[in-house]
Amino acid sequence: MDMGNQHPAISRLQEIQKEVKSIEQQVIGFSGLSDDKNYKKLERFLTKQLFEIDSVDTEGKGDIQQARKRAAQETERLLKELEQNANHPHRIEIENIFKEAQSLVKEKIVPFYSGGNRVADEFEEGIQDIILRLTHVKTGGKISLRKARYHTLTKICAVQEIIEDCMKKQPSLPLSEDAHPSVARINSVMCEVNKARGTLIALLMGVNSTETCRHLSCVLSGLIADLDALDVCGRTEIRNYRREVVEDINKLLKYLDLEEEADTTYAFDLGQNHSILKIEKVLKRMREIKNELLQAQNPPELYLSSKMELQGLIGQLDEVSLEKNPCIREARRRAVIEVQTLITYIDLKEALEKRKTLACEEHPSHKAVWDILGNLSEIQGEVLSFDGNRTDKNYIRLEELLTKQLLALDAVDPQGEEKCKAARKQAVKLAQNILSYLDLKSDEWEY
């Protein structure tokens, strides 16, 4: 239909659809909760568009009715997606973990900056546990969940970093006020910076409703201006002292940009992160080596070269930059386990091959352990090939096979033989490691 002769109702519906389309990415990427201001803003906007669509008069014409129906369906789809993003079970899980972090900060950190003596050891242990649990929250590749997890991790890791940096510093002031009149002002600024550090932590964790990031930024910038205006009379030690305090303030200012940075960049999307790409490259090569081994007509010929290359891959993973990102740290940890498991598989295969060439007599219990190790080697090969989740029948079968081997090892009586005791202990550890590896492969974690 020519645009000049298009029915006004159709034109109006197209305008509404264009407006709805303009906020689609905001809805898809919405990572907050249903009580957030932005949620209510998007909800009001979409609801208003629904009313606008409903008010379009179709004049009983079929084409206009269809156009109105399509526009309404698209708007309702975005409203539904917005609601799902805010109420997704894993989004609620992220929020609950964050609330635990808030409680920890209120209990251990806020008192510290209010005159407490020290940060309790329980804080470090508690915050590490919270960070680990957050990295294991499943996002299913959903942008809103990845953003929510990234935002939450960024704030908690920032608090951890601020505390660690503070704890590394000497508790006494570096210079005596007798050295120069300007030292007294620098010392005073240091006290203000320490208070600002506590305020910043409270802001990042949402436990301070009386302060704002903008006001704190102005306060810190003012402190830098005060320090810049000081006359240090060319005294190198005072100049260095002032520079250290300025550096401390700039670090705090950097943390105030976290929220804006997270919303204006795609830092939450680790798919194109350099460190993740390096890890993926290592994993790709590891899988190629694994497939070559499992499909080879004569695997022993590949054992030595494969182990050497796998050790090299471990070295490459050691060089991966973590970028202070717990998700990258977890991705690297898992990759290391993947490579080490394949090395262990080769080591056991080599040991079993070597055992075939030995014709000496041995204790029955020791032989029983080696028979079980042979079974574990076969099962481990299956586990290495497994590519499913915990609901798969094959997962349940492999788990049962490994449990049976553990029970068989438990039934072996060493009869006082130290060699047999050691062998059984190693076999139990191997079986447990294979079970853990099976769990790791099937937990559907993603960065």
Side-chain angles (χ1 to χ4, degrees):
M1 182 184 288
D2 186 270
M3 291 298 292
N5 298 323
Q6 187 166 262
H7 194 285
I10 295 286
S11 298
R12 177 58 188 142
L13 287 169
Q14 288 177 344
E15 287 173 9
I16 295 171
Q17 283 183 293
K18 188 176 180 181
E19 289 183 42
V20 170
K21 188 73 175 176
S22 69
I23 68 159
E24 182 176 14
Q25 291 307 311
Q26 291 183 54
V27 172
I28 291 171
F30 179 75
S31 59
L33 299 165
S34 56
D35 58 354
D36 289 358
K37 288 181 180 178
N38 201 31
Y39 178 91
K40 297 184 186 305
K41 177 183 173 183
L42 291 169
E43 185 182 43
R44 279 197 302 270
F45 178 85
L46 290 169
T47 303
K48 179 185 175 185
Q49 301 312 309
L50 274 178
F51 285 132
E52 291 285 341
I53 291 167
D54 192 54
S55 69
V56 172
D57 185 4
T58 65
E59 300 175 6
K61 295 182 177 180
D63 57 339
I64 301 177
Q65 289 174 342
Q66 286 298 314
R68 188 173 72 172
K69 182 179 178 181
R70 286 194 298 270
Q73 286 175 338
E74 179 60 19
T75 308
E76 286 168 352
R77 181 186 68 81
L78 288 183
L79 263 172
K80 185 178 179 181
E81 180 155 3
L82 178 66
E83 183 181 358
Q84 288 175 339
N85 285 350
N87 297 289
H88 194 287
H90 292 162
R91 180 63 187 91
I92 304 302
E93 182 184 357
I94 291 170
E95 183 62 17
N96 288 338
I97 295 174
F98 183 63
K99 285 178 179 177
E100 287 184 44
Q102 286 180 312
S103 298
L104 196 61
V105 166
K106 282 181 183 178
E107 182 184 350
K108 307 294 182 184
I109 301 304
V110 173
F112 172 74
Y113 284 101
S114 301
N117 293 325
R118 61 191 292 273
V119 176
D121 294 336
E122 292 86 23
F123 173 78
E124 182 62 28
E125 294 171 6
I127 213 74
Q128 285 288 8
D129 176 66
I130 284 169
I131 289 171
L132 182 63
R133 285 161 56 203
L134 275 171
T135 61
H136 284 86
V137 172
K138 295 179 176 63
T139 65
K142 195 172 173 65
I143 291 175
S144 60
L145 290 176
R146 288 163 78 176
K147 283 180 73 174
R149 185 178 68 174
Y150 176 79
H151 287 188
T152 308
L153 275 170
T154 300
K155 288 187 280 191
I156 294 175
C157 288
V159 170
Q160 184 187 39
E161 194 175 303
I162 292 167
I163 295 297
E164 286 178 353
D165 188 57
C166 180
M167 293 298 99
K168 288 174 186 175
K169 295 184 179 296
Q170 295 296 324
S172 58
L173 296 174
L175 291 178
S176 167
E177 294 182 7
D178 296 334
H180 191 273
S182 60
V183 173
R185 179 53 187 152
I186 299 175
N187 288 347
S188 174
V189 169
M190 279 190 69
C191 293
E192 292 298 317
V193 170
N194 199 45
K195 290 178 184 176
R197 192 176 281 112
T199 302
L200 173 60
I201 289 171
L203 276 171
L204 287 171
M205 297 304 296
V207 297
N208 187 334
S209 58
T210 61
E211 184 61 275
T212 65
C213 288
R214 179 173 293 182
H215 179 257
L216 183 59
S217 178
C218 290
V219 170
L220 291 170
S221 298
L223 293 177
I224 290 179
D226 288 349
L227 291 172
D228 287 342
L230 285 178
D231 178 14
V232 297
C233 301
R235 298 278 292 275
T236 304
E237 72 277 14
I238 300 176
R239 188 185 299 114
N240 290 340
Y241 177 25
R242 179 176 64 180
R243 187 184 70 248
E244 288 176 13
V245 178
V246 170
E247 286 174 356
D248 277 352
I249 296 173
N250 282 326
K251 283 181 183 177
L252 299 184
L253 284 168
K254 178 190 71 174
Y255 293 119
L256 285 171
D257 297 329
L258 284 176
E259 283 296 314
E260 182 180 350
E261 178 188 322
D263 285 329
T264 57
T265 70
Y266 287 91
F268 65 87
D269 185 3
L270 292 176
Q272 298 303 313
N273 179 276
H274 177 73
S275 295
I276 290 293
L277 290 174
K278 192 170 182 179
I279 291 170
E280 289 292 344
K281 184 179 178 182
V282 168
L283 286 173
K284 181 182 177 183
R285 181 54 192 147
M286 183 277 299
R287 292 184 190 110
E288 290 171 351
I289 296 170
K290 177 183 70 177
N291 291 334
E292 289 168 7
L293 281 167
L294 296 176
Q295 297 169 13
Q297 294 293 326
N298 190 14
E301 292 180 353
L302 301 174
Y303 290 161
L304 181 59
S305 60
S306 296
K307 276 175 65 175
M308 288 179 64
E309 189 171 355
L310 289 168
Q311 292 290 358
L313 293 180
I314 292 284
Q316 290 180 38
L317 289 171
D318 287 341
E319 294 171 1
V320 170
S321 171
L322 300 181
E323 302 175 22
K324 296 181 181 178
N325 188 318
C327 288
I328 297 176
R329 185 187 301 121
E330 177 65 10
R332 187 181 71 171
R333 184 188 74 84
R334 287 168 170 262
V336 169
I337 291 173
E338 291 268 10
V339 179
Q340 285 179 336
T341 299
L342 190 52
I343 292 173
T344 303
Y345 172 75
I346 296 172
D347 285 339
L348 181 55
K349 283 291 185 185
E350 283 183 319
L352 290 166
E353 288 290 331
K354 184 178 179 181
R355 179 175 164 77
K356 290 178 183 178
T357 64
L358 301 175
C360 59
E361 290 188 12
E362 61 182 341
H363 194 281
S365 298
H366 195 248
K367 182 180 182 303
V369 171
W370 273 102
D371 289 343
I372 295 170
L373 282 170
N375 295 337
L376 285 173
S377 177
E378 296 304 315
I379 297 169
Q380 189 175 26
E382 289 193 61
V383 171
L384 284 166
S385 301
F386 178 75
D387 185 22
N389 57 46
R390 293 174 187 173
T391 60
D392 289 358
K393 289 181 179 179
N394 202 28
Y395 172 87
I396 297 168
R397 183 182 67 84
L398 289 169
E399 189 179 42
E400 287 176 352
L401 284 173
L402 287 165
T403 303
K404 284 179 181 178
Q405 301 311 309
L406 280 168
L407 291 172
L409 285 167
D410 190 53
V412 172
D413 182 6
Q415 297 176 5
E417 284 284 327
E418 292 300 322
K419 188 177 179 182
C420 182
K421 284 181 182 179
R424 187 178 70 169
K425 184 177 180 181
Q426 287 184 333
V428 168
K429 185 177 179 181
L430 173 64
Q432 290 172 337
N433 286 344
I434 298 172
L435 260 174
S436 297
Y437 177 65
L438 179 61
D439 282 341
L440 180 139
K441 287 195 75 175
S442 58
D443 70 359
E444 301 175 276
W445 182 82
E446 77 288 313
Y447 44 75

